[in-house]
Amino acid sequence: MAEFAHPTFAGAAPDLHRSGQLRFVAMALVLVGAVTVAAALAAILAPGIRHLLLREDGIVEMGTVMFLAAAVLGAGASTLLRGPRIPVMLAGLIGLAELLDETSFGTRLFGFQPLPLYGGGQLDGFHDLLILAYRLLRDVSHGLAWLLVALLLVLSVGLMLLALRHIGRGMAGTTTWLSGHVLLFLHVGFIGLAQAIDIAASSRALAAVEEVLELNAAMLLAFYVVQVGWMETTRRRVGDIR
């Protein structure tokens, strides 16, 4: 009887989880939207700072590195303090891979020369493997190369639509186990779109879009790590009350 008398066990806990998830998703999306609009306005209204925003090691790329580092450190701290959990560890590993990619595996920090990339450039990031696949397929058939780009776009947009669908269901009061991971799905979707642009486009405008997409993805990943940690803390508090 006490279980039903206490508001935590009378349905408040699921509502708390749902409202907490939606709060983190809303904050992440608002920040992503604000940063995207700010970057676009800065590039349009103040063309003199475009170079500072989008150059190598520029403001946007450094922002991406900072959010990825925050996600990795947050995932590591959560694992040490609360024990290993698959979502947190997965987010940390994804963030680490992307952090290494964004910093070119430390080539500029440590001064070593990366391997040359087939078709030009250097093999100094995981995304270069997609570029390599695209170039090899292009040598065989342009159709196969564009099929790779199309698959990336379809998978990326599909993940983002799936995430938006679950966000909508959460707002309507219906949640599933996927509802707590929509930020991770959105992160992968943004990264997929950025990589599709990277391997198949060469215009400066699209390169700028790619950089902003990567920054957005990094912010979403950092929010996801915080969200999962919050959910685990809430779950443990409910368990302690019981």
Side-chain angles (χ1 to χ4, degrees), residues 58-72:
I59 295 173
V60 171
E61 187 172 9
M62 286 300 98
T64 302
V65 169
M66 288 175 61
F67 277 103
L68 289 175
V72 173

Side-chain angles (χ1 to χ4, degrees), residues 187-205:
H187 168 82
V188 176
F190 273 103
I191 286 296
L193 290 178
Q195 296 312 307
I197 293 173
D198 186 40
I199 65 176
S202 57
S203 73
R204 290 185 177 180

Side-chain angles (χ1 to χ4, degrees), residues 69-154:
V72 173
L73 293 174
S78 179
T79 301
L80 290 174
L81 295 174
R82 300 186 179 95
R85 288 184 59 80
I86 291 177
V88 175
M89 294 176 64
L90 177 61
L93 290 174
I94 290 173
L96 179 60
E98 293 174 8
L99 180 62
L100 291 172
D101 198 287
E102 283 295 321
T103 57
S104 301
F105 292 96
T107 55
R108 295 189 300 279
L109 291 176
F110 304 108
F112 63 86
Q113 187 67 23
L115 296 173
L117 181 65
Y118 173 76
Q122 297 174 326
L123 183 60
D124 59 358
F126 292 113
H127 71 283
D128 290 325
L129 297 177
L130 281 174
I131 296 175
L132 176 61
Y134 173 79
R135 290 175 177 176
L136 291 173
L137 289 173
R138 187 182 58 189
D139 287 348
V140 176
S141 167
H142 282 277
L144 289 176
W146 284 110
L147 179 61
L148 174 63
V149 177
L151 286 175
L152 273 175
L153 290 173
V154 168

Side-chain angles (χ1 to χ4, degrees), residues 7-8 24-25 43 52 65 76 113 115 153 170 173 179 186:
T8 301
F24 278 105
V25 171
L52 294 176
V65 169
Q113 187 67 23
L115 296 173
L153 290 173
S179 301
L186 287 173

Side-chain angles (χ1 to χ4, degrees), residues 39 43 54 60 197 203-214:
L54 302 169
V60 171
I197 293 173
S203 73
R204 290 185 177 180
L206 286 177
V209 172
E210 177 203 345
E211 292 292 341
V212 175
L213 284 174
E214 290 176 346

